């Protein structure tokens, strides 16, 4: 019997090649799209789960409150948090590790030809690093590698960079790397080589320097051992804890925060409160968006939306299969009737058609696997991630695929099989193929579901595209065009040398005829302002609040064309000296400059409590432990993306320690050749002053637009899968219109004999489907509106939703549906009536 079923299924496939191709292709596209999304979702959800203790690892985040209101949420905290927790709660905390980020320049010492590399992913970590995390160590002893000062563990990629592809033969263990960064120069003994962190780790590292190495840092007599072990002020450390099995992190938080209050009494007097919040390691990538994150994380909402899209695509593919199968069931009515006359039972017919469904689903899955493998690299590029392709090799992926096959066979094959097996032999052999109202409603309901989903997707894509266009064209209040940004030197032998070289480099850059302005600064737009401080008016200790504080030079405002609201810009000819500062028992800080002036933005003026920009001019504020005088107020501008509201920024003159030098290139010199010439000139001047330091640059508008990369990727992914939904839905509509045309063959013939025009026949066949699409549109509206409203809430500056944003996408869907229907309806309307009536 099984052999007979297979033969019949095979013959039906060959007999209806176009139908079979459309059905298999629809299933394959739906399954392939579903697999791609599932692979991406699985990858996003797998972040940091490869660690053996991942379920018990937590990151200690620092929440800062002012008068009970949330002020700052930061991933960085004090270096004391880890050992304070372990010392006070040994029954709860198993171990901890601290990490301090510090970029630098590295080179080998055991070679005559010195080559310098600028390294960004450098972390000073406790010896417990490999006890907390499960990063494999390829060479070295994990328990001893980071216990002594001036030791370092490097990754496999770094080993290949410094020692070549044959690094294992060279054996880096015991070799010396010289690291140069603030505050000095250090020779580091390589004690281990670790595997490269996997792509699904929320932090990546290249160098792990032993934590005791920081103890030797000396800067103007400061003892960094105190700062790195006991400080409750230096909050630039990432801290991860391993809790013992069965411990409650929330109870630990509640028990520990009173200790934090005891350690920070001075802050409490000013109305500040610090709270340590324990974040599960496995949730950091998707559910954490704090200041100072190690890397830009994902978005749990996007992940689950894409998962919903995958489910919708798969269901629509199965719905399409059902509609097309029911259409072909009409042509097989006589076959079913003959089988029943010859004694076939209904169960046998159901099994036969379920087997045919299994065959089609099986072929669809095979084609889907091929499409999946071919398109995975393009999908990775579109999604901006590198995905480990393990979905089809690990047992979980195989189980998921098998579940798809079984579910697809059952759900997409059961209804057509039941429909076919229910035919009454006498009526079928007479050519009377009538369907129940319930069956017709089900098919129409499936079409409504398809097009409601498609319409909602198209509306969402359109609204997202409008928001992206809005962000691209929005006036930022700062000029980011024609800005060449060069990353400042990582190292100098002394502060005096750094200042002298900086002045010389800036002077050389400004000599180029295409450079209008050049400025040094601690930050540039699109970068996170890491200089933060508590600022207040004099004598108002209780009003101290959190502000962004950014070091710049005299040319910053002109270079970025910041608009002055009141007062003046920085001017070397008009410095504010110590003698002009009202001491009021509060000492003025020495920043290494004779100018003690600051410029603030409008938001800072409001937060400081001044009624207007004019009132704030010449007022003194307490910042960085001393007094500064406000000389100017600039208009609020978007330092970061439009997702963020305006933040209070205070600009002060910083004599050294800059991170960027920005060149403002004249608009007349924006040709590719001219820009290349300017870059070459800047690099030449760099090499003369900094011969042993790498030259890195970027264009500011490109860096600023990178902030919207995740939104653009979401738009492209949603656009792609919306197109697939429309395509598959139209295939289902094509099948249903074919079914309708076949059902009404005799009616069409009679109408044409009685004088009906082609247009009236087309209208007769089309109106039912247009009604279904219109119903779908009505159902799609609240879904699309709710989603787009919620998505737009991520942006402090966003578009307003208008009715035409829904009308245009719906009109597009309606037009596509009309074009799909027209193929079958026009074909039926143009058919010869004699041929139609012959089937009576």
């Amino acid at each position: 019997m099984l052999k007979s079923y297979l033969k019949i299924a095979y013959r039906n496939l060959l007999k209806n090649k176009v139908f079979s191709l459309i059905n298999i292709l629809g299933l394959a596209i739906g399954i392939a799209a579903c697999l791609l999304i599932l692979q991406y979702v699985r990858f996003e959800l797998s972040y940091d789960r490869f660690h053996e203790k991942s379920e018990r690892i937590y990151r200690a985040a620092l929440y800062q409150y002012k008068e009970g209101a949330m002020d700052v949420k930061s991933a960085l905290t004090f270096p004391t948090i880890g050992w304070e927790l372990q010392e006070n709660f040994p029954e709860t905390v198993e171990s901890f590790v601290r990490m301090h980020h510090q970029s630098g320049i590295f080179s080998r010492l055991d070679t005559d030809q010195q080559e310098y590399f600028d390294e960004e992913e450098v972390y000073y970590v406790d010896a417990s690093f490999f006890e907390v995390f499960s990063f494999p160590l390829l060479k070295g002893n994990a328990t001893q590698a980071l216990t002594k000062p001036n030791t370092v563990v490097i990754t496999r990629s770094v080993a290949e960079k410094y020692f070549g592809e044959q690094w294992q033969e060279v054996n880096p263990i015991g070799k010396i790397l010289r690291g140069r960064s603030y505050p000095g120069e250090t020779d580091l003994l390589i004690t281990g080589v670790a595997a490269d962190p996997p792509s699904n780790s929320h932090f990546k590292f290249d160098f792990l320097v032993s934590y005791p190495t920081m103890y030797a840092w000396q800067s103007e007599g400061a003892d960094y051992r105190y700062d790195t072990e006991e400080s409750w002020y230096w909050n630039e450390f990432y801290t991860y804890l391993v809790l013992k099995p069965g411990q409650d992190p929330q109870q630990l938080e509640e028990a520990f925060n009173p200790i934090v209050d005891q350690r920070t009494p001075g802050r409490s007097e000013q109305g500040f409160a610090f709270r340590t919040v324990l974040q599960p390691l496995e949730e950091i990538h998707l559910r954490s968006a704090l200041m100072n994150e190690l890397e830009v994380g994902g978005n749990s909402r996007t992940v689950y939306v894409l998962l919903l899209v995958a489910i919708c695509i798969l269901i629509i593919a199965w719905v399409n299969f059902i509609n097309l199968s029911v259409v072909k069931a009409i042509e097989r009515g006589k076959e079913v009737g003959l089988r029943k006359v010859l004694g076939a039972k209904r169960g046998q017919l159901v099994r036969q058609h379920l087997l045919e469904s299994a065959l089609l689903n099986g072929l669809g899955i095979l084609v889907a696997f091929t499409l999946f493998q071919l398109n995975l690299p393009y999908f990775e590029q579109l999604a901006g991630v590198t995905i480990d392709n393990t979905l089809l090799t690990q047992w979980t992926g195989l189980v998921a695929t098998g579940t798809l096959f079984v579910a697809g066979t059952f759900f997409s094959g059961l209804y057509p099989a039941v429909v076919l097996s229910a035919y009454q032999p006498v009526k079928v052999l007479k050519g009377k193929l009538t369907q129940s109202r319930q069956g017709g409603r089900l098919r129409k309901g499936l079409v409504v579901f398809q097009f409601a989903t498609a319409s909602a997707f198209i509306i969402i894509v359109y609204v997202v595209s409008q928001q992206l266009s809005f962000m691209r064209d929005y006036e930022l209040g700062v000029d980011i065009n024609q800005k060449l940004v060069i990353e400042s030197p990582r190292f100098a032998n002394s502060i005096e040398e750094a200042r002298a070289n900086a002045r010389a480099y800036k002077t050389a850059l400004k000599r180029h005829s295409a450079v209008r302005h050049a400025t040094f600064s601690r930050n540039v737009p699109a970068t996170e302002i890491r200089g933060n401080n508590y600022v207040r008016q004099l004598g108002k200790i209780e009003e101290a609040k959190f502000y962004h504080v950014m070091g710049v030079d005299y040319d910053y405002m002109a270079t970025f064309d910041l608009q002055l609201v009141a007062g003046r810009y920085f001017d070397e000819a008009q410095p504010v000296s110590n003698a002009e500062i009202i001491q009021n028992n509060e000492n003025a800080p020495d920043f290494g400059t004779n100018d003690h002036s600051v410029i603030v933005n409008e938001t800072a003026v409001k937060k400081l409590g001044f009624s207007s920009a004019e009132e704030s001019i010449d007022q003194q504020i307490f910042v960085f432990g001393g007094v500064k005088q406000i000389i100017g107020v600039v208009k609020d501008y978007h330092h970061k993306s439009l997702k963020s509201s305006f933040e209070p920024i205070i600009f002060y003159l910083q004599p050294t320690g800059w991170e960027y030098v920005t060149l403002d290139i004249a608009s007349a010199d924006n040709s590719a050749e001219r820009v290349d010439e300017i870059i070459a000139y800047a690099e030449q001047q760099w090499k003369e002053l900094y011969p042993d330091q790498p030259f890195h640059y970027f264009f500011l508008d490109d860096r600023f637009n990178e902030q919207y990369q995740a939104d653009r990727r979401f738009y492209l992914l949603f656009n792609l899968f919306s197109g697939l939904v429309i395509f598959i839905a139209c295939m289902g509509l094509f099948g249903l219109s074919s079914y309708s045309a076949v059902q009404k063959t005799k009616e069409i013939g009679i109408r044409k004999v009685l004088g009906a025009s082609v247009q009236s026949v087309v209208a007769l066949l089309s109106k039912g489907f247009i009604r279904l699409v219109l119903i779908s549109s009505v159902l799609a509206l609240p879904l699309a509106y709710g989603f787009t409203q919620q998505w737009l809430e991520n942006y402090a500056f966003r578009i307003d939703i208008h009715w035409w944003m829904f009308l245009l996408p719906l009109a597009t869907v309606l037009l596509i549906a009309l074009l799909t229907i027209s193929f079958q309806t026009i074909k039926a309307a143009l058919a010869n009536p004699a041929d139609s009536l012959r089937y009576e």
Side-chain angles (χ1 to χ4, degrees):
M1 185 65 71
L2 178 61
K3 185 177 180 181
S4 174
Y5 289 165
L6 289 173
K7 282 184 178 181
I8 294 170
Y10 176 71
R11 288 169 183 169
N12 278 318
L13 284 175
L14 295 181
K15 180 182 178 182
N16 304 288
K17 295 183 180 67
V18 175
F19 160 78
S20 300
L21 178 63
I22 292 175
N23 225 350
I24 292 172
L25 185 61
L27 277 173
I29 292 174
I31 294 172
C34 182
L35 289 176
L36 285 171
I37 298 176
L38 288 178
Q39 179 79 320
Y40 173 75
V41 170
R42 181 174 178 271
F43 172 77
E44 288 289 294
L45 295 176
S46 71
Y47 261 76
D48 298 308
R49 296 177 186 270
F50 59 88
H51 296 294
E52 183 181 346
K53 304 174 184 178
S54 64
E55 294 181 354
R56 296 190 285 126
I57 300 176
Y58 294 82
R59 182 175 69 182
L62 186 67
Y63 285 17
Q64 304 177 40
Y65 295 83
K66 173 67 175 179
E67 304 296 346
M70 175 61 68
D71 201 21
V72 179
K73 293 181 179 180
S74 176
L76 291 169
T77 188
F78 309 113
T80 49
I81 294 295
W83 64 260
E84 282 273 10
L85 279 163
Q86 190 171 47
E87 183 176 288
N88 287 280
F89 305 97
E91 72 285 353
T92 303
V93 180
E94 180 179 300
S95 60
F96 72 92
V97 62
R98 294 165 295 184
M99 301 178 6
H100 176 70
H101 181 256
Q102 181 75 62
S103 58
I105 299 170
F106 289 79
S107 61
R108 284 179 59 182
L109 287 187
D110 62 337
T111 178
D112 296 332
Q113 187 174 0
Q114 291 291 310
E115 187 172 5
Y116 301 94
F117 297 95
D118 193 0
E119 303 291 355
E120 183 66 29
E121 303 302 333
V122 182
Y123 293 90
Y124 292 84
V125 301
D126 285 308
S128 57
F129 181 86
F130 292 104
E131 177 187 349
V132 173
F133 300 115
S134 301
F135 294 109
L137 199 61
L138 305 178
K139 286 184 177 293
N141 187 318
T143 59
Q144 300 295 323
L146 296 169
T147 56
K148 298 179 180 179
N150 300 335
T151 56
V152 62
V153 172
I154 61 177
T155 62
R156 181 191 182 102
S157 295
V158 172
E160 291 180 355
K161 181 195 293 188
Y162 286 79
F163 299 95
E165 294 183 359
Q166 306 300 320
W167 64 273
Q168 291 187 346
E169 298 177 8
V170 176
N171 191 7
I173 302 298
K175 301 291 193 298
I176 303 292
L177 293 180
R178 173 158 292 172
R180 300 196 295 173
S181 64
Y182 177 82
E185 193 172 68
T186 308
D187 291 344
L188 301 171
L189 176 70
I190 299 175
T191 55
V193 178
D196 291 335
S199 54
N200 59 342
S201 172
H202 85 278
F203 69 91
K204 315 295 190 298
F205 61 87
D206 291 322
F207 291 76
L208 299 174
V209 183
S210 64
Y211 198 84
T213 305
M214 288 192 291
Y215 298 163
W217 288 1
Q218 296 293 326
S219 177
E220 300 179 359
D223 181 4
Y224 276 90
R225 185 181 182 91
Y226 170 81
D227 290 334
T228 56
E229 291 290 354
E230 301 179 40
S231 173
W232 283 90
Y233 288 90
W234 190 16
N235 56 329
E236 292 190 12
F237 296 80
Y238 299 96
T239 302
Y240 293 82
L241 310 170
V242 180
L243 302 189
K244 292 182 178 180
Q247 298 300 313
D248 186 350
Q250 189 172 356
Q251 290 182 1
L252 179 60
E253 288 177 15
E254 294 173 355
F256 180 63
N257 282 317
I259 297 176
V260 177
D261 291 335
Q262 294 173 13
R263 299 292 190 270
T264 56
R267 306 286 182 88
S268 300
E269 292 173 1
Q270 299 179 41
F272 289 103
F274 295 96
R275 292 292 175 263
T276 296
V277 178
L278 300 183
Q279 298 178 296
L281 177 69
E282 296 177 353
E283 296 183 5
I284 290 176
H285 174 68
L286 290 179
R287 294 181 175 85
S288 179
L290 308 182
M291 286 181 58
N292 308 307
E293 289 284 358
L294 283 161
E295 69 174 21
V296 178
N299 187 304
S300 59
R301 182 181 300 177
T302 299
V303 170
Y304 291 119
V305 165
L306 287 177
L307 181 60
L308 179 61
V309 169
I311 295 171
C312 288
I313 289 177
L314 188 62
I315 292 175
I316 287 172
W318 285 340
V319 166
N320 176 68
F321 179 93
I322 293 171
N323 284 337
L324 291 175
S325 297
V326 170
V327 170
K328 300 310 293 184
I330 300 171
E331 299 180 5
R332 299 184 62 182
K334 290 186 178 180
E335 174 194 335
V336 174
L338 286 172
R339 285 182 174 274
K340 282 197 167 185
V341 168
L342 295 174
K345 303 296 182 182
R346 186 174 186 180
Q348 292 175 316
L349 295 172
V350 169
R351 286 193 294 271
Q352 176 190 341
H353 292 294
L354 281 176
L355 180 62
E356 292 183 15
S357 173
L359 180 61
L360 285 172
N361 273 274
L363 291 173
I365 285 179
L366 291 177
V367 176
F369 283 174
T370 305
L371 294 174
F372 172 81
Q373 295 289 352
L374 291 176
N375 289 282
L376 183 60
Y378 303 102
F379 180 79
E380 288 179 333
Q381 186 177 1
L382 192 64
V385 296
T386 301
I387 302 173
D388 296 328
N389 186 10
T390 56
L391 183 65
L392 304 181
T393 56
Q394 294 184 350
W395 70 268
T396 52
L398 295 175
V399 168
T401 304
T403 302
L404 280 179
F405 171 72
V406 174
T409 298
F410 182 78
F411 289 113
S412 63
L414 183 62
Y415 176 67
V418 171
V419 169
L420 282 169
S421 63
Y423 285 155
Q424 298 180 20
V426 176
K427 292 183 178 181
V428 167
L429 294 176
K430 287 183 177 181
K432 298 179 180 180
L433 297 179
T434 59
Q435 294 296 318
S436 66
R437 289 185 178 181
Q438 291 80 3
R441 288 173 182 170
L442 177 60
R443 290 193 302 277
K444 291 175 182 178
L446 294 176
V447 172
V448 168
F449 168 77
Q450 286 181 313
F451 276 89
T453 305
S455 299
F457 283 7
I458 295 297
I459 292 172
I460 292 169
V461 166
Y462 186 72
V463 173
V464 171
S465 70
Q466 291 297 306
Q467 176 65 18
L468 291 176
S469 298
F470 171 79
M471 294 188 297
R472 184 178 61 248
D473 301 331
Y474 190 82
E475 182 60 46
L476 298 173
V478 59
D479 186 5
I480 62 172
N481 298 313
Q482 300 294 113
K483 300 295 185 293
L484 175 66
V485 183
I486 302 166
E487 296 181 10
S488 295
R490 300 286 191 188
F491 172 78
N493 291 314
S494 65
I495 293 177
E496 291 72 20
E497 179 187 83
R499 291 176 181 173
N501 285 346
R503 285 193 295 266
Y505 189 53
K506 182 177 177 179
T507 301
L509 292 173
K510 293 177 72 172
R511 284 199 299 263
H512 196 287
S513 59
V515 177
R516 297 195 305 170
H517 302 283
T519 183
F520 279 94
S521 60
R522 187 72 183 271
N523 298 93
V524 293
T527 63
E528 186 169 6
I529 301 176
R530 310 252 332 205
N532 302 300
N533 200 246
Y534 296 100
V535 182
R536 57 179 172 83
Q537 293 189 46
L538 298 187
K540 298 182 178 181
I541 296 177
E542 70 283 355
E543 293 184 3
K545 295 178 182 177
F546 188 82
Y547 293 74
H548 294 303
V549 184
M550 184 163 65
V552 300
D553 70 4
Y554 287 98
D555 297 309
Y556 186 86
M557 308 297 161
T559 301
F560 290 101
D561 195 23
L562 298 186
Q563 302 302 305
L564 194 66
V565 176
R568 63 178 176 86
Y569 291 137
F570 294 122
D571 188 346
E572 287 187 86
Q574 302 181 59
V576 175
S577 66
N578 267 337
E580 299 175 77
I581 296 295
I582 300 174
Q583 296 299 315
N584 196 27
N585 296 321
E586 297 179 289
N587 295 322
D590 181 10
F591 292 96
T593 175
N594 293 324
D595 197 337
H596 290 263
S597 58
V598 293
I599 294 175
V600 302
N601 68 348
E602 293 173 302
T603 300
V605 168
K606 296 174 185 175
K607 194 169 183 178
L608 282 166
F610 298 111
S611 60
S612 66
E614 289 74 15
E615 183 191 353
S616 69
I617 300 301
D618 295 332
Q619 299 294 323
Q620 282 88 37
I621 58 175
F622 195 78
V623 56
F624 279 141
V627 181
K628 289 281 187 176
Q629 181 170 303
I630 300 173
I631 63 166
V633 178
V634 295
K635 188 177 180 62
D636 283 334
Y637 72 95
H638 292 278
H639 188 85
K640 299 196 74 175
S641 76
L642 298 187
K643 290 185 176 182
S644 305
S645 301
F646 292 124
E647 296 179 321
I649 304 177
I650 296 176
F651 304 93
Y652 71 96
L653 289 166
Q654 182 175 340
T656 187
W658 300 301
E659 294 188 19
Y660 304 98
V661 54
T662 304
L663 308 186
D664 180 19
I665 301 173
S667 57
D669 297 287
N670 63 354
S671 65
E673 296 79 8
R674 186 65 164 161
V675 171
D676 289 342
E677 176 198 326
I678 297 168
I679 294 172
Y681 175 80
E683 185 173 9
Q684 177 188 352
Q685 299 301 317
W686 175 279
K687 289 181 178 178
E688 291 181 6
L689 290 167
Y690 311 107
D692 56 350
Q693 301 200 45
F695 177 79
H696 297 295
Y697 70 92
F698 58 87
F699 290 97
L700 187 57
D701 54 347
D702 293 337
R703 178 64 61 87
F704 198 93
N705 290 329
E706 284 178 4
Q707 297 177 102
Y708 304 123
Q709 191 68 29
D711 301 285
R712 283 194 292 270
R713 285 171 178 158
F714 175 76
Y715 165 73
L716 291 173
L717 287 172
F718 219 86
N719 200 5
L720 169 64
F721 293 118
S722 296
L724 291 178
V725 168
I726 283 285
F727 176 74
I728 298 172
C730 285
M731 291 178 71
L733 190 62
F734 178 86
L736 200 58
S737 63
S738 300
Y739 170 78
S740 179
V742 172
Q743 286 285 80
K744 296 179 182 291
T745 299
K746 182 179 68 175
E747 179 184 346
I748 292 169
I750 294 173
R751 285 179 177 273
K752 292 196 70 176
V753 167
L754 295 176
S757 64
V758 172
Q759 292 84 351
S760 64
V761 173
V762 170
L764 171 69
L765 295 174
S766 301
K767 65 180 181 181
F769 301 114
I770 299 304
R771 188 183 299 115
L772 294 178
V773 176
L774 291 174
I775 293 172
S776 303
S777 301
V778 172
L779 294 176
L781 286 174
L783 296 174
Y785 180 80
F787 179 87
T788 51
Q789 277 285 70
Q790 193 175 30
W791 183 77
L792 288 172
E793 287 178 1
N794 293 322
Y795 298 87
F797 299 85
R798 54 184 179 265
I799 61 173
D800 294 323
I801 296 180
H802 301 285
W803 62 268
W804 55 266
M805 293 181 180
F806 295 82
L807 184 61
L808 288 176
L810 292 179
T812 301
V813 174
L814 183 60
L815 178 61
I816 294 172
L818 278 171
L819 292 174
T820 303
I821 297 166
S822 63
F823 178 82
Q824 285 297 332
T825 56
I826 293 174
K827 178 181 176 182
L830 293 175
N832 190 332
D835 294 333
S836 302
L837 295 173
R838 186 181 303 166
Y839 293 103
E840 175 59 34

